[in-house]
Amino acid sequence: MTGDLVKQISHGVYVIGVSDGCHQNAFTAAWVMQVSFEPLLLAISINPEHYSYQLLQVGGVCSVNVLGQDQYAIAKHFGQSGKDKMAGFKWQKDITGAPILSESLAYFDCQVSHYADAGDHKIAVCKVVAAAKLNEGQPLLYRQTGNMDGR
Ligand SMILES: Cc1cc2nc3c(=O)[nH]c(=O)nc-3n(C[C@H](O)[C@H](O)[C@H](O)COP(=O)(O)O)c2cc1C
């Protein structure tokens, strides 16, 4: 009932790269926002049932990669679980070692500061330790993904 209404709240669409030091993964997230200027903090709401959450908890690092208007297919790809999801994409690293999607518009390399409970999700509050613009383009918006997330 509220599905259409909550999509009136604007979000971008991001690929979140995670690593536990040995394994890497990436997933699509829309529930990402800046929550502090100094230090620069981002909050990411993540379902604790995701495989990516295990890696995030162990490794304590992630990257937030901004998807562009023409990257709908990438949002869909990383919005599904699966083995070897990362294959076929170019990745790079900055300070934390979290995988960064080279074709994203921009990235934020982050260390997890702390978690907060939020119903069926956990909020990871993350400190940005490095960031850069990678490609030109306009950000993809969550509402433009329709019911890609099944909601
Ligand atoms: C457009 C879109 C937005 C999404 N936003 C979130 C989000 O903000 N938080 C979240 O935990 N999952 C979100 N998901 C769901 C995950 O991307 C999806 O469950 C994914 O399979 C998790 O990957 P993993 O199981 O490999 O960790 C979103 C999916 C889509 C398609």
Side-chain angles (χ1 to χ4, degrees):
M1 185 184 100
T2 55
D4 285 347
L5 279 179
V6 291
K7 289 210 169 149
Q8 299 281 323
I9 298 171
S10 295
H11 297 278
V13 184
Y14 309 90
V15 169
I16 310 297
V18 292
S19 172
D20 69 358
C22 298
H23 312 94
Q24 298 189 335
N25 198 42
F27 73 103
T28 300
W31 295 353
V32 175
M33 66 185 290
Q34 179 180 353
V35 291
S36 166
F37 282 126
E38 188 54 51
L40 181 56
L41 298 176
L42 303 182
I44 303 167
S45 183
I46 178 169
N47 184 331
E49 293 181 1
H50 292 345
Y51 169 59
S52 299
Y53 181 67
Q54 296 174 27
L55 302 189
L56 184 66
Q57 272 202 308
V58 173
V61 298
C62 65
S63 67
V64 175
N65 303 273
V66 182
L67 291 184
Q69 286 279 325
D70 60 348
Q71 294 179 315
Y72 182 95
I74 297 178
K76 191 167 183 183
H77 177 83
F78 288 103
Q80 297 162 349
S81 298
K83 279 197 166 180
D84 291 336
K85 266 205 288 193
M86 298 176 70
F89 293 87
K90 189 174 172 216
W91 302 93
Q92 62 193 67
K93 290 179 183 171
D94 200 329
I95 292 174
T96 71
I100 292 163
L101 183 66
S102 299
E103 64 191 286
S104 62
L105 299 185
Y107 72 83
F108 300 86
D109 191 25
C110 301
Q111 281 171 344
V112 177
S113 164
H114 58 277
Y115 291 94
D117 290 331
D120 54 11
H121 279 55
K122 301 280 183 190
I123 295 173
V125 179
C126 301
K127 182 177 177 185
V128 176
V129 296
K133 180 175 174 177
L134 292 177
N135 296 287
E136 292 293 335
Q138 293 299 315
L140 180 64
L141 298 177
Y142 180 44
R143 78 169 72 85
Q144 295 173 320
T145 65
N147 66 351
M148 184 193 284
D149 61 356
R151 301 288 174 170

